[in-house]
Amino acid sequence: MTQPKKKKKKRSGLLLALLLGVLAGLGADAWLQLNAPLQIGQATTVELESGQRLASLSRQMDERDLFASERQRLYLVIYARLHGEATRLKAGEYALEPGVSPLGLLTVLTSGKILLHELRLVEGWRFSQAWKLIQADPNISHTLANADNAAIMQAIGKPGIDPEGRFFPDTYRFPKKTSDVSFLRNAYAAMDKVLTAEWAARAPNLLYATPDQALIMATLVEKESAVASEVRGSGGVKSTPIRPMTSASAVDGDPAITPGT
């Protein structure tokens, strides 16, 4: 072998060794960055929109200074693509705790365990009070802002029905951007379930022929009780329960909206 060929072979070996060293260094750095905590000082949330890619979400997070470094963000995106995690992300709002790493973030985003918000419909409230509370909730998507009672009941598929007494009072848990229509449909379904169960267990000598008749009468009695309470100058919450009979319930409507305990 001639001298020039020996030198060329030696240079190639050195370049290969250098390349392998660089790759090993990058691999070690990537592993450290992927397992290092994100820059989260207190519990926060991130929201992955439907169809949004991880690269886009990571840029939004970077704008909020949630990554310890730009390398950490880039390693996360590359890792997710190489390991097929980028296609397994599930849209929704997620809670992040201090100490979570980029790999932990991926686990969260692929788990589908989205953050659920709570809203309580208080027993004793009129529909107008419950509706005002629903309208004020920032986690609900508002589609019926200027609707009157008739339009609201039309929207949830119950046209011509008075809303008073039709929505079960409970603490409901739901994902962000649940529509007001979906929320009301499920509260209505919860009341229907309770009313059906209690009607089946009613006293044999009950004067009413249908569950609706019993509900209407209960609502009328509640309204009269509320008026009497106001006349007496009561400063407390009105005793006008939305539910006509006491019972526990589970919602059989939208699985994303569930009653609390």
Side-chain angles (χ1 to χ4, degrees):
M1 183 179 293
T2 62
Q3 193 68 19
K5 287 184 178 180
K6 287 182 179 180
K7 289 183 178 180
K8 185 176 181 180
K9 185 175 181 181
K10 186 176 182 180
R11 284 197 301 269
S12 298
L14 289 173
L15 288 174
L16 179 59
L18 180 61
L19 178 60
L20 291 175
V22 170
L23 290 176
L26 285 174
D29 185 53
W31 183 252
L32 290 174
Q33 290 292 327
L34 289 171
N35 286 278
L38 294 172
Q39 195 165 276
I40 298 176
Q42 57 185 9
T44 188
T45 63
V46 294
E47 184 176 2
L48 182 69
E49 302 283 352
S50 179
Q52 185 179 19
R53 295 185 177 182
L54 180 60
S56 172
L57 176 64
S58 72
R59 286 192 292 270
Q60 292 176 352
M61 293 177 61
D62 194 39
E63 291 173 357
R64 295 168 56 191
D65 294 324
L66 297 182
F67 287 104
S69 67
E70 176 65 8
R71 299 198 324 279
Q72 191 177 53
R73 184 187 77 82
L74 292 175
Y75 285 142
L76 170 64
V77 174
I78 294 170
Y79 177 92
R81 289 178 180 174
L82 292 178
H83 290 79
E85 298 291 316
T87 61
R88 298 179 54 239
L89 305 182
K90 296 177 174 62
E93 184 185 23
Y94 295 89
L96 297 181
E97 298 293 334
V100 67
S101 68
L103 292 182
L105 171 64
L106 270 184
T107 299
V108 170
L109 295 177
T110 57
S111 69
K113 296 178 181 179
I114 58 177
L115 183 65
L116 296 179
H117 299 273
E118 292 188 352
L119 189 150
R120 181 187 177 207
L121 299 187
V122 179
E123 183 173 356
W125 276 11
R126 299 285 186 89
F127 175 71
S128 60
Q129 293 172 291
W131 179 233
K132 184 177 181 180
L133 186 70
I134 294 169
Q135 285 183 303
D137 195 301
N139 298 304
I140 287 180
S141 177
H142 303 289
T143 65
L144 302 171
N146 299 314
D148 58 15
N149 287 359
I152 291 171
M153 298 307 287
Q154 175 76 36
I156 69 171
K158 303 295 178 181
I161 296 179
D162 189 323
E164 293 297 339
R166 293 290 179 172
F167 300 95
F168 188 69
D170 206 340
T171 298
Y172 292 88
R173 305 179 72 223
F174 57 92
K176 189 175 182 178
K177 296 184 179 178
T178 292
S179 73
D180 44 15
V181 172
S182 292
F183 186 93
L184 287 174
R185 280 176 178 165
N186 281 274
Y188 189 101
M191 175 56 84
D192 257 2
K193 185 177 180 115
V194 171
L195 188 58
T196 299
E198 295 196 355
W199 181 255
R202 70 190 183 281
N205 59 345
L206 197 65
L207 298 177
Y208 313 115
T210 67
D212 277 353
Q213 288 182 0
L215 179 61
I216 290 170
M217 182 54 66
T219 302
L220 290 174
V221 171
E222 289 156 9
K223 287 182 178 179
E224 291 299 323
S225 298
V227 170
S229 176
E230 289 174 353
V231 170
R232 289 194 300 270
S234 172
V237 178
K238 298 176 185 177
S239 56
T240 56
I242 298 176
R243 71 176 93 177
M245 297 171 275
T246 59
S247 177
S249 77
V251 183
D252 283 338
D254 188 339
I257 308 177
T258 59
T261 56

